Amino acid sequence: MVRNDGRNDDELRPVRFTRGYQLHPAGSVLVEFGGTKVLCAASVTPGVPRWRKGSGSGWLTAEYAMLPSATHTRSDREAVRGKIGGRTHEISRLIGRSLRACIDLAALGENTIAIDCDVLQADGGTRTAAVTGAYVALADALTWMHASGVLAHPQTLSCQIAGVSVGVVGGKVRLDLPYEEDSRAEVDMNVVATDAGTIVEVQGTGEGATFSRATLNTMIDSALAGIHVLTRLQREALAAPYPKQLPEPKKSVKN
Amino acid sequence: MVRNDGRNDDELRPVRFTRGYQLHPAGSVLVEFGGTKVLCAASVTPGVPRWRKGSGSGWLTAEYAMLPSATHTRSDREAVRGKIGGRTHEISRLIGRSLRACIDLAALGENTIAIDCDVLQADGGTRTAAVTGAYVALADALTWMHASGVLAHPQTLSCQIAGVSVGVVGGKVRLDLPYEEDSRAEVDMNVVATDAGTIVEVQGTGEGATFSRATLNTMIDSALAGIHVLTRLQREALAAPYPKQLPEPKKSVKN
Amino acid sequence: MVRNDGRNDDELRPVRFTRGYQLHPAGSVLVEFGGTKVLCAASVTPGVPRWRKGSGSGWLTAEYAMLPSATHTRSDREAVRGKIGGRTHEISRLIGRSLRACIDLAALGENTIAIDCDVLQADGGTRTAAVTGAYVALADALTWMHASGVLAHPQTLSCQIAGVSVGVVGGKVRLDLPYEEDSRAEVDMNVVATDAGTIVEVQGTGEGATFSRATLNTMIDSALAGIHVLTRLQREALAAPYPKQLPEPKKSVKN
Amino acid sequence: MVRNDGRNDDELRPVRFTRGYQLHPAGSVLVEFGGTKVLCAASVTPGVPRWRKGSGSGWLTAEYAMLPSATHTRSDREAVRGKIGGRTHEISRLIGRSLRACIDLAALGENTIAIDCDVLQADGGTRTAAVTGAYVALADALTWMHASGVLAHPQTLSCQIAGVSVGVVGGKVRLDLPYEEDSRAEVDMNVVATDAGTIVEVQGTGEGATFSRATLNTMIDSALAGIHVLTRLQREALAAPYPKQLPEPKKSVKN
Amino acid sequence: MVRNDGRNDDELRPVRFTRGYQLHPAGSVLVEFGGTKVLCAASVTPGVPRWRKGSGSGWLTAEYAMLPSATHTRSDREAVRGKIGGRTHEISRLIGRSLRACIDLAALGENTIAIDCDVLQADGGTRTAAVTGAYVALADALTWMHASGVLAHPQTLSCQIAGVSVGVVGGKVRLDLPYEEDSRAEVDMNVVATDAGTIVEVQGTGEGATFSRATLNTMIDSALAGIHVLTRLQREALAAPYPKQLPEPKKSVKN
Amino acid sequence: MVRNDGRNDDELRPVRFTRGYQLHPAGSVLVEFGGTKVLCAASVTPGVPRWRKGSGSGWLTAEYAMLPSATHTRSDREAVRGKIGGRTHEISRLIGRSLRACIDLAALGENTIAIDCDVLQADGGTRTAAVTGAYVALADALTWMHASGVLAHPQTLSCQIAGVSVGVVGGKVRLDLPYEEDSRAEVDMNVVATDAGTIVEVQGTGEGATFSRATLNTMIDSALAGIHVLTRLQREALAAPYPKQLPEPKKSVKN
């Protein structure tokens, strides 16, 4: 018996990457996992945080947020409440850690790449969709950095990074949960891994329940298989040229 | 001699309304004025602010924000700074006041319509584009409210509301300024008005300069002509049916 | 038929400027528009905001606030609530923009003039009274800056700046609204202009109503006539000498 | 040898109370101790803080603040910094505690008296001037409360409350220090006491120095003598009738 | 070859539970994992958060913090900075989720158990030590709740909950990392599980590195073996009677 | 007739100092006054606050806080509320001022000593216990500073500093009030003084009552006698050697 949306338990929702969604950032990708839509931007700014000054190395930071209108019932705006909630903090940190696993910060010089993941529409799995889309935006940003002279030499990322959710719903292990499944899942897990199948991050939680070692294994199998597909889709999306006109080469912003 | 983007001084940029952009809010419209893109959502929640409880009337509130990646150089996230800036406050209040001019709050019962205007891409005139798009989202929200039973009787808005910017650039009065013109304008004005040509809001500021009474008159003529066109485009956009499936009629959320 | 306080529709309330109200700031003026009393101070500090450092130019900033006891019913203290409200932000920005229209920032060197407008008693029109009084405090501050050696050469302001409110009350256009009229006005407008009659700022809002182009014109006529009187009163107030003992000339604080 | 301002060591500065300084609060007094000017308002609102609801008793709370322009060099606005500093907190609490010593809260019904002490000009001793002036504003507020029907029966305060600073400057015990002495004092003490000479609050601090038991005794003698004079001046100020027109008797706001 | 502190790779540090460390909370346990010392308190208060009112069920919440003096170099106090950091948020949420897995909230009535985990000294693994100690404090709190009449019937926890860290250091999987190992670990994982060996939470992160599926398996094996020991130590600690005098039975605080 | 805990009116509770309570800070002392337990740490960091830079002198700052679980009923965490309360501010400032009275800041070089006083258990008199314990931690920190080379020459404190509470309970002057007495005291006073009997700080407050000059004298007599004992106990505690291994001498952190 299949899921409400007709998928098999180990099947991803339709995934789409729209590169060049915004004009201004060096990389800008709208990623869709079914009804989940996250706008991922990678902006480049000269300079690094205070604690890193003088190191000669760059930095990558990430911020995640949801539009108030993205959720089933409108959620409060964190800027209006005057502080970032715990969940937002956690996800922002996860995205940053995940992408720092594929980039050579030393090769960036003292420049910062700021990743912004803004959820335009939420239907489960926003954090892993964000990681997956942000990788594509980051790849575009590196292309832009070389073209504009910020990087003297072209840089490539050392591996691909993608993430997916997996959970136990009604006793079954299911991949890429939409909100309808996520809200009644007994176990909820997020996995971030590379195109080589090595793991960057595993976060699994029993929601009012505990889970066995065997279930953990099955969930991780399912997630890694899903990530294998996602990294292929990333490569296909990045096969097209940089989506906007590249800047004329000029002198580095550092000079 | 025409403007950098080929327009005449009294000509609007291409305007587009995409209704039903998001799944969840009662009304959701992506409005584009050239490169400026604002996502306008109208969400309906039962209840009203504390100071209005027991009045039997509803309320309409508005919040405006920019994505950090919307601007030429990345801007800080207000939620991270922990407070809303003065400009954001001003614009949120402007949008709320403008739309309250066309709605019969007493007919809403004790329900609140929350307008969210999130700028996805900024190229000048974001606040007036937000007002113009939010009107369309509000019209859709009223349709939804009646279909879902929140409103016992269908409500229509008493007039249309649209806004446009106008300014003096290089000594010439120009309509609907993009960022490139806005950043060097001598005078910057925003006008919100109705389809009948009556005025809801006028805000004009000399930027390091003052302006004559005659210039004020010319700017207002130009803005009102632009708003005349915008309200026609709103009507054309709203001529199509409600863009999503409407809920089955049910009992009011108030019961 | 005249107004509750006996004035004609186009008549200002009694206006009074008390220069030298406080000992410490370079300029300090208590301005009264009838029952509205605003204490306007202009303080001079060496240095400019970070984004202006190294420019060789100065800056002028403004902050507006109300004492909790200034209003009919006590209002909360913004410092206790831990944030500035939207209305306060808007007015502070208006005052700063208005006064920057008359001052040559480049001639100040890297010094900042901080304008503080604290409302001691509110009876309508506090923001425009604040602009009008702050101009006088600013003029005194320039005198002090030269006497104390902060400015090597005496500076004069390029024009006078004053503001007044105007509105539509019971269908009539009325100048300089007290609280009793302001709270029931159909249209509320604030105008800031120069002694030459050119406009710095126009802000008009229909309060639950819209207004015609013709009404707009009448309101602006009335406001400009009121500002003509106000600038005369400013000149009369400034005809007396600097109200405190001036410092002995000394070396610039920049050295 | 006398002090810089010609006073003897045990002499107060000229003290002045201006009752009815503001129109709106039930009590409003400008108190001056030499160059120190504090505007003290007592506002009455129905209701009490949450933790006191249902007690049948009232409450008295106090807030102290300084205008940015009140000090020798402009001080930052706490509302802009987004929090109240430690010194402000301490003084607000001191004023509230001091005045609660003379009022029968049970007789107020569930009403709150909010004391606001805003320093218009600072020249030493602002906190004790604030206590002294706020007592007079509080007495006026009680008169208003009975006249307006908030209090069914007239209430009087059980004693008078006044405060003064005293310190050791250059080895000498001196009363009522102006800023010039305060800033170089070896010991700084504030005393609040009643017209009967009993003590409400004693706060003494060695500033980079310690002081003997004998010095403590001398300082307290001097402060109590000063407070004896201050309470006489309060009585003289309150001998005149209530400074504004009292409301017509009406039904209690509690009904 | 053994570790710097002489342990084998799969060996825990000495673990100690001191029950009844504080007088006031219903449960209070100082837990030590080697040099890591966390004070875990379980306090009982009547009432539940707003969103749970009327449900008839209770709630359990948790807050984690570090003393500034707990770390190698002093860390800033979050109360002074005015906000909780992302890491603190994450850990507080982890502790709450973990302990809610063993408690029947419905049986608590509308009472809240607040868990406070304050790190007195940090030497790696503070969050998992906190979970492990908080379980013991929670067990004591349930005993207290029955004795004091808050719970009409004695409640037991449905399982034991304990946590431990595990990581890869110099290519080796090691259990229960002290700071010296944690700061140079290639992979850092925290596992929370029950005495039955089922999993509540898994959080694993490559720190600038990724890890294989095989390494994940080894880490989880090691963590579950460690948790098996920890739950035995919890049982031994709880074998002694409640460490303070229990209250005399009385009527429920709900009445 | 004696007190509930069997003490005479002028008798201290049992006092205990545990030096070296924490591993990391230069000085760390758990001080106990009966059931009141305060963990006092003195941490040394290179550098001074901005306003002191370039002075060549050091600084000493202090922060006081309570664990939520320290009080009879759990208190809210200030970091979670997002701001420091007024009481916390007052006490932090008191501790800093008191300890700066015994230290030669100029001899520290541009280094800062941060005193953290965290109340683990509250049973009255936490602020004066904190001062008394912090003095011992500060003495240890100076020993550490010389051993580690931060101070080229050994420094001693110019005097001892200790504090105690005293109050009027049921008409009797009593020393060192526990919570049970403190909560019903008519007068509450805190005194900080030196081993020579000179006074650093006196803070006395009538709690809903006033007190006579004679009572003030008796309270100060009692407090100074108690402080005489406390300074003897401090000397006895410091007679033992530094409680941890001292660092090998090395070059100053300033070089």
Side-chain angles (χ1 to χ4, degrees):
Chain A
M1 181 189 156
V2 293
R3 296 153 82 173
N4 281 355
D5 56 8
R7 281 187 289 152
N8 293 323
D9 287 344
D10 61 352
E11 193 179 343
L12 294 170
R13 290 178 286 181
V15 172
R16 188 157 54 159
F17 300 96
T18 306
R19 291 167 65 203
Y21 190 82
Q22 292 168 299
L23 273 178
H24 305 311
S28 171
V29 171
L30 181 74
V31 63
E32 299 173 65
F33 278 34
T36 287
K37 302 184 186 190
V38 187
L39 179 47
C40 305
S43 304
V44 179
T45 50
V48 285
R50 179 186 305 262
W51 54 271
R52 224 176 152 79
K53 276 188 183 148
S55 69
S57 280
W59 189 239
L60 181 147
T61 184
E63 291 177 5
Y64 165 98
M66 280 222 204
L67 294 199
S69 55
T71 45
H72 277 71
T73 54
R74 184 180 181 277
S75 46
D76 285 347
R77 200 176 282 273
E78 293 187 317
V80 171
R81 275 193 287 142
K83 59 178 173 182
I84 295 289
R87 180 183 172 277
T88 297
H89 252 134
E90 262 185 58
I91 299 178
S92 295
R93 287 158 53 93
L94 166 67
I95 298 170
R97 275 198 311 268
S98 296
L99 293 180
R100 284 193 294 271
C102 71
I103 191 164
D104 179 3
L105 293 171
L108 295 183
E110 291 204 1
N111 295 291
T112 294
I113 300 178
I115 302 291
D116 286 290
C117 296
D118 286 275
V119 179
L120 302 190
Q121 191 165 284
D123 189 21
T126 59
R127 81 186 70 186
T128 43
V131 167
T132 307
Y135 168 81
V136 178
L138 176 59
D140 276 342
L142 282 193
T143 301
W144 181 92
M145 287 173 86
H146 181 238
S148 65
V150 175
L151 293 179
H153 304 287
Q155 292 293 326
T156 51
L157 297 165
S158 63
C159 57
Q160 286 175 250
I161 301 288
V164 77
S165 75
V166 61
V168 179
V169 184
K172 285 172 170 307
V173 171
R174 285 181 166 169
L175 185 66
D176 189 17
L177 309 185
Y179 176 77
E180 172 270 323
E181 291 180 346
D182 189 46
S183 58
R184 58 191 173 93
E186 297 105 55
V187 185
D188 184 24
M189 174 170 276
N190 293 289
V191 179
V192 177
T194 67
D195 51 332
T198 58
I199 299 170
V200 181
E201 188 99 16
V202 173
Q203 294 186 340
T205 305
E207 303 283 348
T210 63
F211 54 102
S212 71
R213 179 66 194 273
T215 299
L216 174 65
N217 287 348
T218 310
M219 285 194 291
I220 289 180
D221 287 341
S222 179
L224 290 178
I227 288 169
H228 186 74
V229 175
L230 288 168
T231 54
R232 178 173 52 75
L233 296 172
Q234 288 175 331
R235 283 191 300 274
E236 290 172 10
L238 286 165
Y242 186 80
K244 297 178 290 187
Q245 188 168 354
L246 282 167
E248 291 299 303
K250 58 174 181 181
K251 294 179 67 171
S252 162
V253 300
K254 290 191 297 180
N255 296 331
Chain B
M1 180 188 156
V2 291
R3 296 152 82 175
N4 281 354
D5 55 9
R7 282 187 288 151
N8 293 322
D9 287 343
D10 61 354
E11 193 179 344
L12 294 170
R13 291 178 287 180
V15 172
R16 187 159 54 158
F17 299 97
T18 306
R19 291 166 65 203
Y21 190 82
Q22 291 169 300
L23 272 179
H24 304 313
S28 171
V29 171
L30 181 73
V31 63
E32 299 172 66
F33 278 33
T36 286
K37 302 184 185 190
V38 186
L39 180 47
C40 305
S43 303
V44 179
T45 51
V48 284
R50 179 187 306 263
W51 54 271
R52 224 175 152 82
K53 276 189 183 147
S55 68
S57 281
W59 188 240
L60 181 148
T61 183
E63 290 176 5
Y64 164 98
M66 280 223 204
L67 295 199
S69 54
T71 43
H72 277 71
T73 54
R74 183 180 182 277
S75 47
D76 285 347
R77 201 175 281 272
E78 293 188 317
V80 170
R81 276 192 287 143
K83 59 179 175 182
I84 295 288
R87 180 183 172 277
T88 298
H89 252 133
E90 263 185 57
I91 299 178
S92 295
R93 287 158 52 94
L94 166 67
I95 298 170
R97 275 198 312 267
S98 296
L99 293 180
R100 284 193 295 271
C102 69
I103 192 165
D104 179 2
L105 294 171
L108 294 183
E110 291 203 1
N111 295 291
T112 295
I113 301 178
I115 302 290
D116 286 291
C117 296
D118 286 272
V119 179
L120 303 189
Q121 192 166 283
D123 189 22
T126 60
R127 78 186 70 186
T128 42
V131 167
T132 306
Y135 169 81
V136 178
L138 176 59
D140 275 343
L142 281 192
T143 301
W144 181 92
M145 287 173 87
H146 181 240
S148 66
V150 175
L151 292 179
H153 303 287
Q155 292 294 326
T156 51
L157 297 166
S158 62
C159 57
Q160 285 175 249
I161 302 288
V164 76
S165 74
V166 60
V168 179
V169 185
K172 286 173 169 307
V173 171
R174 286 183 166 168
L175 186 66
D176 189 16
L177 309 186
Y179 176 77
E180 173 269 324
E181 290 180 347
D182 189 46
S183 59
R184 59 191 172 93
E186 297 106 54
V187 185
D188 184 23
M189 174 170 277
N190 293 288
V191 178
V192 177
T194 69
D195 51 332
T198 58
I199 300 170
V200 181
E201 187 98 16
V202 173
Q203 294 185 340
T205 305
E207 304 283 347
T210 63
F211 53 103
S212 70
R213 181 67 195 272
T215 299
L216 174 66
N217 287 349
T218 309
M219 285 194 291
I220 290 181
D221 287 340
S222 179
L224 290 179
I227 288 170
H228 186 73
V229 175
L230 289 169
T231 55
R232 178 173 53 74
L233 296 173
Q234 286 176 331
R235 283 192 301 275
E236 290 172 9
L238 285 164
Y242 186 80
K244 297 178 291 187
Q245 189 170 353
L246 282 167
E248 291 299 302
K250 58 173 181 181
K251 296 178 64 171
S252 161
V253 299
K254 291 191 298 178
N255 296 330
Chain C
M1 178 188 156
V2 293
R3 297 153 81 175
N4 281 354
D5 56 8
R7 280 187 288 152
N8 293 322
D9 288 342
D10 61 353
E11 193 179 344
L12 295 169
R13 291 178 286 180
V15 172
R16 188 159 53 160
F17 300 96
T18 306
R19 290 167 65 203
Y21 190 82
Q22 292 169 300
L23 273 179
H24 305 311
S28 172
V29 171
L30 181 74
V31 63
E32 299 172 66
F33 279 34
T36 286
K37 303 185 187 190
V38 186
L39 179 47
C40 306
S43 304
V44 179
T45 51
V48 284
R50 179 188 304 265
W51 53 272
R52 224 175 153 81
K53 276 190 183 147
S55 69
S57 281
W59 188 239
L60 181 148
T61 183
E63 290 176 6
Y64 165 98
M66 279 223 205
L67 294 200
S69 54
T71 44
H72 277 72
T73 54
R74 183 182 182 276
S75 47
D76 285 347
R77 202 175 280 273
E78 293 188 317
V80 171
R81 277 192 286 141
K83 58 179 174 182
I84 295 289
R87 179 182 173 280
T88 298
H89 251 134
E90 262 183 58
I91 299 177
S92 296
R93 287 156 54 91
L94 166 66
I95 298 169
R97 273 198 313 268
S98 296
L99 293 180
R100 285 193 294 271
C102 69
I103 190 165
D104 179 2
L105 294 171
L108 295 184
E110 292 205 0
N111 295 292
T112 295
I113 300 177
I115 302 291
D116 286 290
C117 296
D118 287 272
V119 180
L120 301 190
Q121 190 167 285
D123 189 21
T126 59
R127 80 186 70 187
T128 41
V131 167
T132 306
Y135 169 81
V136 179
L138 176 59
D140 276 341
L142 281 192
T143 301
W144 181 92
M145 287 173 87
H146 181 240
S148 66
V150 175
L151 293 178
H153 303 287
Q155 292 293 325
T156 51
L157 297 165
S158 63
C159 57
Q160 285 175 250
I161 301 287
V164 77
S165 75
V166 61
V168 180
V169 184
K172 287 172 169 305
V173 171
R174 286 182 166 168
L175 185 67
D176 189 16
L177 309 185
Y179 176 76
E180 174 268 324
E181 290 180 347
D182 189 47
S183 59
R184 57 191 173 95
E186 296 106 56
V187 184
D188 184 23
M189 175 169 276
N190 293 289
V191 178
V192 178
T194 68
D195 51 333
T198 59
I199 300 169
V200 182
E201 188 98 17
V202 173
Q203 294 185 341
T205 304
E207 303 284 345
T210 62
F211 53 103
S212 69
R213 179 66 195 273
T215 300
L216 174 65
N217 287 349
T218 310
M219 286 193 291
I220 290 180
D221 286 341
S222 179
L224 290 179
I227 289 169
H228 186 73
V229 176
L230 289 168
T231 54
R232 178 173 52 76
L233 297 172
Q234 287 176 330
R235 282 192 301 273
E236 290 172 10
L238 285 164
Y242 186 80
K244 297 179 289 188
Q245 188 169 356
L246 282 168
E248 291 299 303
K250 57 174 181 182
K251 294 179 67 172
S252 161
V253 299
K254 291 192 297 179
N255 297 331
Chain D
M1 178 189 158
V2 292
R3 298 154 81 175
N4 281 354
D5 55 9
R7 281 186 289 152
N8 292 322
D9 287 343
D10 60 354
E11 193 179 344
L12 295 169
R13 290 179 285 180
V15 172
R16 187 158 55 158
F17 299 97
T18 307
R19 290 166 66 203
Y21 190 82
Q22 291 169 300
L23 272 179
H24 305 311
S28 172
V29 172
L30 181 74
V31 63
E32 299 172 65
F33 278 34
T36 286
K37 304 184 185 190
V38 186
L39 178 47
C40 305
S43 304
V44 179
T45 51
V48 284
R50 179 187 306 264
W51 54 270
R52 224 176 152 80
K53 277 190 182 146
S55 69
S57 281
W59 189 240
L60 181 147
T61 184
E63 290 177 6
Y64 165 97
M66 279 223 206
L67 295 199
S69 53
T71 44
H72 277 71
T73 54
R74 182 181 182 276
S75 46
D76 285 347
R77 201 175 280 272
E78 292 188 317
V80 171
R81 276 192 288 142
K83 58 179 174 183
I84 295 289
R87 180 183 171 278
T88 298
H89 252 135
E90 262 184 58
I91 298 177
S92 295
R93 286 157 54 92
L94 166 66
I95 298 170
R97 272 197 315 268
S98 296
L99 293 180
R100 284 193 296 270
C102 69
I103 191 164
D104 179 2
L105 294 171
L108 295 184
E110 290 203 1
N111 296 291
T112 295
I113 301 177
I115 302 292
D116 287 290
C117 296
D118 287 273
V119 179
L120 302 189
Q121 191 165 284
D123 189 21
T126 60
R127 78 186 70 187
T128 43
V131 166
T132 306
Y135 169 81
V136 178
L138 176 58
D140 276 342
L142 281 191
T143 301
W144 181 93
M145 287 173 87
H146 181 241
S148 65
V150 175
L151 292 178
H153 303 287
Q155 292 293 325
T156 51
L157 297 165
S158 62
C159 57
Q160 285 174 250
I161 301 287
V164 77
S165 74
V166 60
V168 179
V169 184
K172 287 172 168 306
V173 171
R174 286 181 166 170
L175 185 67
D176 189 18
L177 309 186
Y179 176 77
E180 172 270 323
E181 291 180 346
D182 189 46
S183 59
R184 58 191 173 94
E186 296 106 55
V187 184
D188 182 25
M189 174 168 277
N190 292 289
V191 179
V192 178
T194 68
D195 50 333
T198 59
I199 299 170
V200 181
E201 188 98 17
V202 173
Q203 294 185 340
T205 304
E207 305 282 347
T210 63
F211 54 102
S212 70
R213 181 65 195 273
T215 299
L216 174 66
N217 287 349
T218 309
M219 286 194 289
I220 290 180
D221 287 340
S222 178
L224 290 179
I227 288 170
H228 186 73
V229 175
L230 289 169
T231 55
R232 178 174 53 75
L233 297 172
Q234 287 176 330
R235 282 192 301 275
E236 290 172 10
L238 285 164
Y242 186 79
K244 296 178 291 187
Q245 188 169 355
L246 281 168
E248 290 300 301
K250 58 175 181 181
K251 295 178 65 170
S252 162
V253 299
K254 290 190 298 178
N255 297 329
Chain E
M1 180 190 157
V2 292
R3 296 153 83 175
N4 282 355
D5 56 8
R7 283 186 288 152
N8 292 323
D9 287 344
D10 61 353
E11 195 179 342
L12 294 170
R13 291 178 285 180
V15 172
R16 188 159 52 159
F17 299 96
T18 306
R19 290 167 65 203
Y21 190 82
Q22 292 168 300
L23 273 178
H24 305 311
S28 171
V29 172
L30 181 74
V31 63
E32 299 172 65
F33 278 34
T36 287
K37 302 184 185 191
V38 186
L39 179 46
C40 305
S43 303
V44 179
T45 51
V48 284
R50 179 187 304 264
W51 54 271
R52 223 176 154 80
K53 276 190 183 147
S55 69
S57 281
W59 188 240
L60 181 147
T61 184
E63 290 176 6
Y64 165 98
M66 279 222 206
L67 295 199
S69 54
T71 44
H72 277 72
T73 54
R74 183 181 182 277
S75 46
D76 285 347
R77 202 175 280 272
E78 292 188 317
V80 171
R81 276 192 287 142
K83 59 179 174 180
I84 296 288
R87 179 183 173 277
T88 298
H89 251 134
E90 263 184 58
I91 299 177
S92 294
R93 287 156 54 93
L94 166 67
I95 298 169
R97 274 197 314 268
S98 296
L99 293 179
R100 285 193 294 270
C102 70
I103 191 164
D104 179 2
L105 294 171
L108 295 183
E110 291 203 1
N111 295 291
T112 294
I113 301 177
I115 303 290
D116 286 291
C117 296
D118 287 274
V119 179
L120 302 188
Q121 191 166 285
D123 189 20
T126 60
R127 78 185 72 186
T128 43
V131 167
T132 306
Y135 169 81
V136 178
L138 176 59
D140 276 342
L142 281 192
T143 301
W144 181 93
M145 287 174 87
H146 181 239
S148 65
V150 175
L151 292 177
H153 302 289
Q155 292 293 326
T156 52
L157 297 165
S158 63
C159 58
Q160 286 174 250
I161 302 287
V164 76
S165 74
V166 60
V168 180
V169 184
K172 286 173 169 307
V173 171
R174 285 181 166 170
L175 186 66
D176 189 17
L177 310 185
Y179 176 77
E180 171 269 324
E181 291 180 346
D182 189 46
S183 58
R184 59 190 173 95
E186 297 105 54
V187 185
D188 183 24
M189 174 169 276
N190 293 289
V191 179
V192 178
T194 69
D195 51 332
T198 59
I199 299 168
V200 181
E201 188 98 17
V202 173
Q203 295 185 339
T205 304
E207 304 283 348
T210 63
F211 53 102
S212 71
R213 179 67 194 272
T215 299
L216 174 65
N217 287 349
T218 310
M219 285 194 291
I220 290 180
D221 286 341
S222 178
L224 290 178
I227 288 169
H228 186 74
V229 175
L230 289 168
T231 56
R232 178 173 53 75
L233 297 172
Q234 287 176 330
R235 282 190 302 275
E236 290 173 10
L238 285 164
Y242 185 80
K244 298 178 289 187
Q245 189 169 353
L246 281 167
E248 291 300 301
K250 57 172 181 182
K251 295 179 66 173
S252 161
V253 298
K254 290 191 297 179
N255 295 330
Chain F
M1 181 188 156
V2 292
R3 296 154 81 174
N4 281 355
D5 56 8
R7 282 187 289 152
N8 293 322
D9 288 342
D10 62 353
E11 194 180 343
L12 293 170
R13 291 179 285 180
V15 172
R16 188 159 53 160
F17 300 96
T18 307
R19 290 167 64 203
Y21 190 81
Q22 292 168 299
L23 272 178
H24 305 312
S28 170
V29 171
L30 182 73
V31 63
E32 299 172 66
F33 277 34
T36 287
K37 302 184 186 191
V38 186
L39 179 47
C40 306
S43 304
V44 180
T45 51
V48 284
R50 180 188 304 264
W51 53 272
R52 225 176 151 79
K53 275 190 184 146
S55 68
S57 281
W59 188 239
L60 181 146
T61 183
E63 291 176 6
Y64 165 98
M66 280 222 204
L67 294 199
S69 54
T71 45
H72 277 71
T73 53
R74 183 182 182 276
S75 46
D76 286 347
R77 199 175 282 272
E78 292 188 317
V80 171
R81 277 193 285 142
K83 57 178 174 183
I84 295 288
R87 180 183 172 277
T88 297
H89 252 134
E90 262 184 57
I91 299 178
S92 295
R93 287 156 53 93
L94 166 67
I95 299 169
R97 275 199 310 268
S98 296
L99 293 179
R100 284 193 295 271
C102 70
I103 191 165
D104 179 3
L105 294 170
L108 295 184
E110 292 204 0
N111 296 291
T112 294
I113 301 178
I115 302 291
D116 286 290
C117 295
D118 286 274
V119 179
L120 303 188
Q121 191 166 284
D123 189 20
T126 59
R127 79 186 70 185
T128 43
V131 167
T132 307
Y135 169 80
V136 179
L138 176 59
D140 276 342
L142 282 192
T143 302
W144 181 92
M145 287 174 87
H146 181 240
S148 66
V150 175
L151 293 178
H153 303 288
Q155 293 293 325
T156 51
L157 297 165
S158 62
C159 57
Q160 285 175 250
I161 302 287
V164 77
S165 75
V166 60
V168 180
V169 184
K172 285 172 170 304
V173 171
R174 285 182 165 168
L175 185 66
D176 189 17
L177 309 185
Y179 175 77
E180 173 268 324
E181 291 180 346
D182 188 47
S183 59
R184 58 191 173 93
E186 296 105 55
V187 185
D188 184 24
M189 174 169 277
N190 292 290
V191 178
V192 178
T194 68
D195 51 331
T198 58
I199 300 170
V200 181
E201 187 98 18
V202 173
Q203 295 186 339
T205 304
E207 304 282 347
T210 63
F211 54 102
S212 70
R213 180 66 196 272
T215 299
L216 174 66
N217 287 348
T218 310
M219 286 194 290
I220 289 180
D221 287 340
S222 179
L224 290 179
I227 288 169
H228 186 74
V229 175
L230 289 168
T231 54
R232 178 174 52 76
L233 296 172
Q234 286 176 331
R235 283 191 301 275
E236 290 172 10
L238 285 165
Y242 186 80
K244 298 179 289 187
Q245 188 168 354
L246 282 168
E248 292 299 302
K250 56 173 181 183
K251 295 177 66 171
S252 161
V253 300
K254 289 191 297 178
N255 297 330

